[in-house]
Each structure stands twice: as C-alpha cells, then as structure tokens.
Amino acid sequence: EFCLTEKDLNEIPHILKTNPRYKCAAPMSLYLMCDVKELAEKKYGGSEGLDKEIEKRKNRKQNREQKVADQKQRRRHEL
C-alpha cells in the first residue's frame, strides 16, 4: 500500500510486540500509520508520486502475469 521496504521502515519509530497467534514466531513491528504515510510521501515526493509508484508496480505485476500466461499458452500449442 505504501511501497516501502523493510529498510525504509526501520528508519521510523516502532514498537516490538510478541505475535499473539504464534508465540514462537518473530515479534511484530508496529508502526503509527501517520509515520508510515509521511515516510512514503517523503520517499516518493508527495501523494501524487506515491500514486504513480503504486500504478507503476501494478502495471509491472500485470506485465509479468501476462508474460507467464503467454509462455504457458505457447507451451500448450507446442504439444
């Protein structure tokens, strides 16, 4: 939703809590939504830049999925 990496998120304050479902799992990092949104807007140059990045990633994902579908289709025709 905010297109941030783990490294980006480590820059902002967060709280570590034990995972309530899986006690043996790694602790959860909890962030304030306003901090995450502010960091994303800073990284991408405002809300418009963030929207463009989201759209770019969405298009990249669709292109990958289409490429895989095309490859499957070609393999079927080769048989």
Side-chain angles (χ1 to χ4, degrees), residues 7-65:
K7 185 178 177 183
D8 295 332
L9 291 172
N10 285 334
E11 295 176 13
I12 59 176
H14 59 280
I15 299 170
L16 291 176
K17 288 265 189 168
T18 57
N19 192 319
R21 292 182 182 246
Y22 307 102
K23 300 293 182 196
C24 296
M28 300 182 302
S29 297
L30 304 177
Y31 303 91
L32 290 176
M33 183 68 82
C34 59
D35 290 342
V36 175
K37 187 172 183 175
E38 183 181 318
L39 179 62
E41 289 179 355
K42 180 180 163 186
K43 181 175 180 178
Y44 295 108
S47 59
E48 295 84 17
L50 178 58
D51 291 340
K52 287 179 184 177
E53 181 66 21
I54 291 170
E55 189 65 30
K56 185 171 93 173
R57 289 177 184 219
K58 181 179 163 188
N59 289 338
R60 237 190 270 151
K61 181 180 178 184
Q62 287 174 343
N63 289 341
R64 275 194 314 268
E65 290 172 351

